[in-house]
């Protein structure tokens, strides 16, 4: 009141300036400082504690806790209309029915606490649940066992004081981590990701045993996850989630699992948007999702499926990042902790709850034992006869108490008046039918149960471990991990984006861009690419693709720029200034500042480029230098081999060619690569090729070398060693392909039901071929890529006899090399136990002649496109990447 009066006085002072007439209307100035401090803080606290953030004790937000309490009150084993449950919950939750119904649907969709009936929506497709009057629910058996225990529950008054509701439910399971939680409060938020049911139980058991544990999320939508940066669910962590995409056919991709946080509708929309923007190129999409996800992505002919998969991850919702934030309520305060600490606290709370239940159970058993003993004494010693002469109630109590005293020494507590009153309530019928043996048997059973409960209390940790094991065996079936854990490779967007526009150049005027359609076409590119431009005056510049950009007059070379490309080598001969000497140099361009001009000459004014080539594989040609006749020059013509020039930085001056005037420079002989063959490794963790030394070394590859791939399905193919290639999980052979080297295969022929052995060579490059029969029961038993393989056949042991001695077969003697479609020779007619590959026979391979190489440190991928493989083989002087356009061209001046 005093504050209000002071405020009113201030308002009067502020709103009544000198000279103001009483009849004038003035605006009142209201100060909100006090309101902000009190009201806003109250509101923020309310939203944090009562709406958005779950409690660590039971893992529930208030609305969820009240829904579970209402379901328990209504529980009679039958289904209840959700609308009825919502109305019942409104006795405890002071908010609208819509928010309660939505919260209940979310709990039901997690398929853990609520047994649902009807259309509860679909987390895969994003379909909403039916109206609450049409769907039904009841508590699951798991919820009834784990969530409720009224005798150890702390209660409080509901918001209107008419009902009692639990402060926290006695949940004996890490429910918060199993279900996950997400909420936005005032000034803070929480995002706890769901974890696997079985893994949480195993982690709880490990914690009780004093062992270390690690838990990572598991999502109901399945998918593939990378938890490298999970950071225990704390602020700053990140999880990458991907859809599971596989190649169904040459022009069809299939998505069988989707990332958490998306649905099929939003995923398809993101793919269509990426297609409209030109980032990817697709023909059509089919959504065949029912119980399981199935989205078919049809590709136009000529589009690489591997590259499209990477593009889907780079430009659509097929890959997304989730940032967890572990915030919970403890003692009415928000607390930021990791999932490991959450599990520890939940497990320890479970142990405490189990202890309370055991202590309560022990007290009840001891009470039962106490009264059963009193009842036996009362009836066996016929103490009830002592009350026949008593006329008052006090006399009855004293008579019974006096009659019991000689027989109560073995009791575990004193006899109270309440015990005596209870004895007086025993009916005559029970006394007349009292069986001493049955009474003793009941006491023995109670003593056994008391001893058992005391044992559990003394060995509480072991009891808790058994409790968790029981939960796992009872409810763990069908709750195996859904999300596959992998380490993701980083996808470079510029390498997988579809070339959705064309690049043009006006060489004379010095413009490059995508809108110069009347000028010279250079290459296809994308709107996120960089381009590298060289001009006749020896300048170089890298800039972003745009509609029209001025670089400088007399452009001599334009191409899409590949960052960190240490294989593309530029060969340059230039004249230093108007009357200066001529220099030759070779250089790479790996990284520069965008839109900054770089001078490739010595820096003298009027310098001019006389000869220039861009070589994607470090080719070094031979050129002829022709001098202009002047004075007493004796040698006017000679050859220069670029292979004799070292590759240096772009800023190097170069080697002097001549100090005289050059008339012209002619190409004499096309060059070959001066770079060493590229070493390629296969990283089995991400199942990708790389040039960084991760994983197993596959081999050294030149421009036309191919990879040999064999799968367990009996499919063989050869592919270019493109770093964006994807490999099936059933791949069993991945090595450098030697065309002359035969493959030896043993397979079970389904129709003839016999093992066959065949030797063959890959006949068609870049084509998948089935080398076993197409019978549904046929399968590949063994494949060998050795030159002269040897196999061993083991036979099963007959009953009562010694096993037959193993048979050794030299494959090259058994069968000659035949066509890939040949059936092969029948290997054996007898039953076989095992077929093993032995040490092959010696073979001396013809070693390739090693050229004189010029090494470039840190060689990297040229990103050769599979779609360009045919052109790459026909013309080794052009680029092997669709980005390169006219790289490899020769420019003469």
């Amino acid at each position: 009141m005093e504050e209000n009066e002071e405020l009113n006085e201030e308002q009067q002072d502020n709103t009544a300036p000198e000279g103001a007439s009483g009849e004038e209307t003035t605006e009142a100035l209201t100060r909100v400082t006090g309101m902000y401090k009190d009201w806003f803080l109250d509101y923020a606290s309310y939203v944090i504690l009562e709406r958005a953030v779950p409690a660590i004790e039971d893992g529930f937000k208030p609305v969820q806790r009240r829904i579970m309490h209402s379901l328990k009150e209504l529980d009679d084993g039958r289904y209840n209309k959700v609308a009825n449950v919502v109305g019942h919950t409104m006795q405890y939750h002071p908010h609208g029915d819509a928010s309660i119904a939505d919260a209940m649907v979310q709990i039901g969709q997690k398929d853990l606490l609520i047994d649902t009936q009807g259309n509860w929506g679909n987390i895969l497709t994003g379909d909403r649940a039916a109206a609450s009057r049409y769907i039904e629910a009841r508590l699951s058996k798991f919820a009834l066992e784990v969530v409720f225990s009224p005798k150890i529950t702390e209660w409080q008054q509901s918001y209107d004081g008419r009902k009692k509701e639990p402060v926290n439910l006695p949940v004996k399971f890490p429910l918060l981590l199993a279900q996950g939680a997400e909420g936005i409060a005032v000034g803070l938020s929480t995002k706890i990701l769901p974890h696997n049911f079985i893994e949480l139980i195993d982690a709880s058991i490990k914690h009780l045993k004093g062992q270390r544990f690690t838990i990572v999320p598991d999502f109901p939508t399945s998918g593939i996850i990378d938890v490298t940066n999970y950071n225990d669910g704390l602020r700053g962590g990140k999880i990458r989630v991907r859809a599971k995409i596989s190649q169904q056919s040459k022009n069809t991709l299939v998505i069988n699992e989707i990332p958490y946080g998306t649905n099929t509708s939003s995923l398809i929309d993101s793919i269509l948007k990426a297609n409209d923007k030109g980032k990817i190129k697709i023909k059509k999409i089919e959504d065949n999702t029912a119980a399981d996800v199935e989205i078919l992505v049809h590709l136009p002919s000529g589009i690489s499926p591997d590259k499209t998969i990477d593009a889907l991850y780079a430009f659509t919702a097929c890959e997304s990042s989730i940032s967890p934030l572990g915030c919970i309520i403890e003692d009415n305060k928000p607390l930021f902790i990791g999932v490991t600490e959450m599990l520890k606290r939940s497990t320890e709370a479970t142990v405490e709850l189990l202890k309370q239940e055991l202590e309560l159970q022990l007290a009840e058993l001891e009470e039962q034992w106490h009264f059963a003993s009193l009842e036996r004494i009362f009836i066996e010693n016929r103490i009830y006869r002592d009350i026949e002469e008593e006329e008052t109630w006090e006399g009855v109590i004293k008579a019974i108490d006096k009659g019991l005293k000689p027989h109560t020494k073995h009791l575990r507590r004193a006899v109270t008046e309440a015990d005596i009153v209870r004895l007086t309530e025993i009916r005559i019928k029970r006394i007349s039918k009292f069986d001493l043996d049955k009474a003793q048997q009941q006491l023995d059973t109670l003593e056994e149960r008391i001893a058992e409960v005391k044992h559990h209390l003394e060995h509480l940790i072991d009891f808790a471990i058994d409790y968790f094991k029981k939960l796992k065996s009872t409810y763990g079936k069908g709750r195996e991990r859904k999300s596959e854990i992998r380490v993701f490779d980083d996808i470079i967007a510029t390498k997988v984006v579809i070339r959705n526009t064309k690049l043009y150049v006006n060489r004379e005027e010095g413009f490059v861009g995508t809108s110069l359609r009347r000028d010279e076409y250079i290459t296809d590119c994308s709107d996120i690419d960089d381009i590298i431009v060289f001009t006749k005056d020896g300048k170089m510049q890298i800039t972003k693709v745009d509609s029209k950009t001025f670089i400088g007059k007399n452009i001599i070379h334009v191409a899409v720029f590949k960052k960190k490309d240490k294989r593309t080598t530029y060969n340059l001969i230039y004249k230093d200034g108007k009357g200066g000497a001529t220099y030759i140099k070779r250089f790479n361009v790996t990284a520069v500042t965008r839109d900054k001009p770089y001078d490739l000459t010595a820096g003298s004014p009027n310098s001019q480029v006389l000869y220039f080539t861009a070589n994607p594989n470090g080719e070094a040609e031979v050129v002829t230098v022709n001098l202009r006749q002047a004075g007493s020059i004796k040698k006017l013509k000679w050859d220069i081999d670029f292979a004799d020039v070292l590759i240096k930085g772009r800023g190097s001056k170069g080697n002097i060619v001549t100090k005289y005037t050059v008339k012209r420079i002619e190409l004499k002989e096309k060059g070959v690569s001066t770079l060493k063959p590229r070493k390629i490794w296969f990283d089995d963790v991400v199942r990708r090729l790389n040039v960084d030394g991760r994983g197993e070394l596959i081999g050294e590859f030149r421009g036309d070398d191919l990879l040999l791939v064999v799968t367990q399905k009996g499919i063989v193919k050869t592919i270019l060693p493109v770093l964006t290639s994807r490999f099936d999980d059933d791949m069993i052979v991945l090595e450098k392909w030697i065309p002359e080297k035969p493959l030896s295969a043993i397979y079970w022929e389904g129709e003839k039901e016999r093992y066959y052995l065949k030797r063959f060579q890959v006949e068609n490059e870049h084509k998948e071929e089935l080398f076993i029969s197409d019978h549904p029961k046929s399968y590949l038993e063994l494949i060998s890529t050795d030159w002269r393989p040897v196999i061993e056949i083991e036979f099963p042991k007959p009953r009562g006899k010694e096993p037959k001695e193993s048979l050794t077969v030299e494959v090259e003697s058994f069968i000659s090399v035949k066509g890939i479609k040949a059936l092969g020779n029948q290997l054996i007619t007898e039953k076989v136990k095992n077929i093993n590959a032995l040490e092959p026979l010696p073979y001396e391979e013809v070693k390739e002649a090693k050229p004189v190489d010029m090494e470039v440190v840190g060689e990297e991928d040229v990103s050769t496109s599979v779609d360009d493989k045919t052109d790459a083989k026909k013309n080794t002087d052009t680029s092997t990447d669709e980005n390169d356009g006219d790289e490899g061209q020769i420019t003469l001046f």
Side-chain angles (χ1 to χ4, degrees), residues 422-468:
R422 191 175 172 187
L423 288 174
T424 62
E425 295 171 355
I426 299 176
R427 295 185 178 183
I428 299 298
K429 185 177 180 181
R430 179 169 177 79
I431 295 175
S432 63
K433 290 188 176 183
F434 184 76
D435 188 331
L436 187 61
D437 294 334
K438 284 185 178 180
Q440 184 60 45
Q441 187 177 353
Q442 182 188 3
L443 286 170
D444 293 341
T445 303
L446 288 171
E447 287 176 355
E448 289 176 3
R449 292 178 62 188
I450 289 171
E452 182 183 2
V453 173
K454 285 183 175 179
H455 178 271
H456 291 333
L457 283 168
E458 292 171 359
H459 303 84
L460 190 58
I461 299 300
D462 293 335
F463 176 74
I465 291 173
D466 291 338
Y467 167 80
F468 279 113

Side-chain angles (χ1 to χ4, degrees), residues 148-421:
F148 302 100
S149 185
K151 293 180 181 178
I152 61 171
T153 302
E154 183 182 353
W155 301 89
Q156 65 183 1
Q157 294 290 329
S158 62
Y159 71 95
D160 61 1
R162 289 190 176 96
K163 294 278 188 175
K164 285 189 176 182
E165 63 173 328
V167 177
N168 290 300
L169 288 169
V171 178
K172 301 181 290 295
F173 181 78
L175 191 62
L176 177 58
L177 294 174
Q179 292 195 125
E182 186 173 357
I184 300 174
V186 180
L188 59 83
S189 63
T190 184
K191 195 180 185 80
I192 300 167
L193 303 180
H195 294 68
N196 181 259
F197 182 91
I198 296 175
E199 291 175 5
L200 288 175
I201 292 177
D202 291 339
S204 294
I205 293 172
K206 284 184 177 179
H207 176 59
L208 292 174
K209 291 181 177 179
Q211 301 173 358
R212 292 184 179 180
F213 63 88
T214 302
I215 52 174
V216 295
D218 183 30
F219 301 121
T221 55
S222 301
I224 310 169
I225 62 174
D226 183 350
V227 297
T228 306
N229 299 317
Y230 184 42
N231 193 30
D232 201 40
L234 291 166
R235 186 194 302 271
K238 183 179 74 171
I239 279 188
R240 295 169 65 187
V241 291
R242 283 182 179 177
K244 194 169 188 178
I245 310 175
S246 56
Q247 184 177 344
Q248 189 180 66
S249 63
K250 184 179 180 181
N251 294 322
T252 306
L253 302 177
V254 58
I255 302 174
N256 295 116
E257 298 174 5
I258 59 176
Y260 181 68
T262 64
N263 54 61
T264 54
S265 300
S266 63
L267 191 67
I268 290 172
D269 288 344
S270 72
I271 295 173
L272 294 175
K273 286 180 181 178
N275 181 65
D276 294 340
K277 291 179 180 179
K279 305 295 185 184
I280 60 175
K281 190 174 288 186
I282 62 172
K283 191 175 180 181
K284 65 175 182 176
I285 295 181
E286 291 181 50
D287 187 3
N288 299 329
T289 302
D292 299 315
V293 173
E294 185 180 314
I295 301 173
L296 299 180
V297 182
H298 298 276
L299 308 179
S301 58
I303 298 297
S304 166
D306 288 340
K307 205 168 184 180
T308 303
I309 291 174
D310 281 347
L312 287 172
Y313 289 143
F315 302 114
T316 73
C318 288
E319 178 178 338
S320 60
S321 294
I322 301 174
S323 298
L325 177 57
C327 178
I328 50 90
I329 298 298
E330 185 179 57
D331 298 330
N332 287 326
K333 294 179 183 178
L335 179 65
F336 293 90
I337 58 174
V339 295
T340 301
E341 184 62 26
M342 288 183 200
L343 185 90
K344 289 179 179 179
R345 296 190 183 202
S346 174
T347 304
E348 290 162 5
T350 298
V351 173
E352 181 60 31
L353 290 171
L354 290 173
K355 180 182 177 183
Q356 292 179 27
E357 287 185 342
L358 287 172
E359 289 174 344
L360 184 62
Q361 185 181 358
L362 178 61
E364 290 175 349
L365 287 171
E366 288 183 337
E367 189 65 23
Q368 290 176 29
W369 180 87
H370 178 77
F371 185 74
S373 300
L374 279 179
E375 184 183 53
R376 177 182 173 182
I377 295 169
F378 182 73
I379 298 175
E380 183 181 2
N381 296 286
R382 301 185 179 185
I383 297 174
Y384 53 84
R385 290 185 175 179
D386 296 345
I387 65 175
E388 294 176 354
E389 304 296 331
E390 299 296 332
E391 295 180 355
T392 63
W393 178 249
E394 290 79 4
V396 171
I397 298 297
K398 289 180 180 180
I400 296 175
D401 186 32
K402 182 179 179 182
L404 290 175
K405 279 187 178 179
H407 311 285
T408 57
K409 293 180 180 179
H410 69 288
L411 297 181
R412 302 180 183 183
R413 69 170 176 83
V415 180
T416 64
E417 184 175 339
D419 295 331
I420 298 174
V421 172

Side-chain angles (χ1 to χ4, degrees), residues 595-658:
D595 298 324
K596 177 183 176 181
Y598 290 86
D599 195 344
L600 303 176
T601 68
S604 303
N606 300 318
S607 295
Q608 184 179 11
V609 175
L610 303 178
Y611 179 88
F612 177 88
T613 58
N615 307 280
N617 287 302
E619 291 85 355
E621 64 269 37
V622 178
V623 297
T624 300
V625 178
N626 296 276
L627 301 183
R628 193 179 299 278
Q629 180 67 49
S632 60
I633 303 175
K634 295 181 180 180
K635 191 174 182 179
L636 299 176
K637 182 178 180 181
W638 71 93
D639 297 337
I640 295 179
D641 190 349
F642 271 97
D644 298 331
V645 181
L646 295 177
I647 299 175
K648 297 182 179 180
R650 65 173 181 271
S652 65
K653 186 175 183 179
N655 301 338
I656 190 167
V657 177
T658 179

Side-chain angles (χ1 to χ4, degrees), residues 471-510:
L471 288 181
K472 182 178 177 180
S473 62
T474 307
Y475 304 105
K477 187 177 181 181
R479 299 189 182 277
E480 292 78 15
R481 168 166 283 278
K482 292 185 177 181
S483 299
E484 181 183 352
I485 300 173
R486 283 190 188 174
V487 177
F488 292 169
D489 54 316
D490 292 324
I491 296 173
I492 301 174
T494 54
K495 288 190 176 183
V496 299
V497 67
I498 291 294
R499 309 306 174 210
N500 55 2
T501 187
K502 298 181 184 297
L503 183 66
Y504 303 89
V505 62
N506 185 326
R507 296 183 185 271
E508 186 177 352
E509 297 298 326

